[in-house]
């Protein structure tokens, strides 16, 4: 089984961007539960259609739909260090995460970004419809608004409306604090200042991962 670190933080704190940078430069893999769910929804399986309904209503995907998918994806990734983003989303899911991983995560990393900054970032972020590569004012897509990684269409995520963003942010404000308080009593928690450039944040995340997972 893989050694797993969780990447937590409010929406807009750069988890996807930072996770992709970490994945690129290290013998560690990054898995985004949110991307996994959205890919399943696009795939049109029966489970995908149920996930699609939840996502398009702005609801949370039910844990009985999401956790089997995440667990299977982790198994497919084999051995070695893994950085997992997107779960738990609520305090009552920490037991599901523990069961799925066969124990507590070796490390929990919190990307900390103040609320007004998170909202401002979410309002301007766009992603590739195919591979979910993130773009924004500082990282522009290729000419014609195409993804530089896969050529897909770059657009605002469907769930990034102001209303849905505010709702997701307020859920995290309550649940995120409770989740992190739980992990402070269960494993190592590293809090990282996410107001800085993604490369700087990713380098610090990588240092913590090497120290905790012994990858190198
Ligand atoms: Zn792409």
């Amino acid at each position: 089984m893989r050694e797993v670190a969780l990447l937590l933080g409010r929406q807009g704190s750069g988890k996807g961007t930072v996770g992709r940078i970490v994945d690129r430069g290290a013998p560690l893999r990054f898995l985004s539960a949110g991307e996994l769910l959205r890919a399943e929804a696009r795939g049109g399986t029966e489970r995908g259609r149920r996930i699609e309904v939840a996502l398009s209503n702005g609801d949370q995907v039910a844990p009985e739909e999401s956790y089997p998918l995440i667990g299977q994806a982790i198994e497919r990734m084999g051995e070695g260090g893994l950085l997992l983003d997107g779960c738990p989303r609520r305090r009552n899911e920490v037991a599901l995460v523990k069961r799925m991983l066969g124990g507590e995560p070796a490390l929990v990393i919190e990307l900390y970004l103040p609320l007004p900054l998170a909202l401002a970032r979410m309002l301007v972020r766009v992603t590739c419809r195919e591979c979910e590569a993130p773009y924004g004012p500082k990282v522009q897509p290729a000419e014609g608004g195409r993804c530089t990684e896969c050529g897909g269409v770059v657009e605002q995520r469907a769930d990034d409306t102001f209303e849905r963003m505010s709702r997701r942010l307020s859920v995290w404000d309550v649940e995120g604090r409770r989740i992190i308080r739980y992990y402070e009593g269960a494993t190592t928690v590293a809090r990282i200042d996410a107001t800085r450039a993604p490369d700087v944040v990713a380098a610090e995340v990588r240092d913590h991962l090497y120290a905790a997972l012994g990858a190198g």
Side-chain angles (χ1 to χ4, degrees), residues 128 130-133 147 149-152:
C128 171
E130 306 304 324
C131 77
E132 300 212 7
C147 174
E149 290 183 29
C150 79

Side-chain angles (χ1 to χ4, degrees), residues 41-202:
R42 283 195 298 273
T45 60
E46 206 168 303
R47 170 175 278 154
R49 279 193 291 274
R50 292 194 296 270
I51 291 172
E52 168 91 70
V53 169
L55 292 175
S56 61
N57 289 337
D59 292 335
Q60 197 209 14
V61 175
E64 57 271 27
E65 304 285 7
S66 57
Y67 279 85
L69 269 183
I70 300 164
Q72 285 160 18
I74 291 173
E75 270 173 38
R76 278 198 304 272
M77 293 174 99
E79 303 285 309
L82 175 72
L83 181 60
L84 176 62
D85 156 38
C87 71
R89 291 191 182 276
R90 291 172 190 268
R91 169 65 179 80
N92 62 17
E93 291 175 22
V94 297
L96 290 173
V97 171
K98 186 174 181 179
R99 200 178 315 148
M100 179 177 73
L101 301 179
E104 297 292 3
L107 172 71
V108 171
I109 294 174
E110 182 194 8
L111 296 187
Y112 181 73
L113 188 72
L115 186 60
L117 279 176
L119 198 53
R121 280 191 190 175
M122 289 171 80
L123 285 168
V124 296
R125 79 175 174 188
V126 285
T127 54
C128 171
R129 195 194 288 170
E130 306 304 324
C131 77
E132 300 212 7
Y135 296 92
K138 284 182 187 150
V139 188
Q140 296 281 344
E143 225 164 300
R146 291 287 174 157
C147 174
T148 52
E149 290 183 29
C150 79
V153 175
V154 172
E155 60 187 7
Q156 189 167 48
R157 243 168 59 185
D159 53 347
D160 273 358
T161 64
F162 186 80
E163 194 189 8
R164 286 182 189 171
M165 276 183 224
S166 308
R167 187 163 144 201
R168 273 147 60 211
L169 282 164
S170 58
V171 169
W172 182 256
D173 254 13
V174 177
E175 297 292 334
R177 295 266 65 78
R178 297 174 65 204
I179 290 167
I180 287 162
R181 211 175 304 137
Y182 167 81
Y183 282 126
E184 279 169 348
T187 186
T188 308
V189 177
R191 189 185 219 209
I192 294 179
D193 170 12
T195 60
R196 300 165 300 165
D199 282 337
V200 178
V201 177

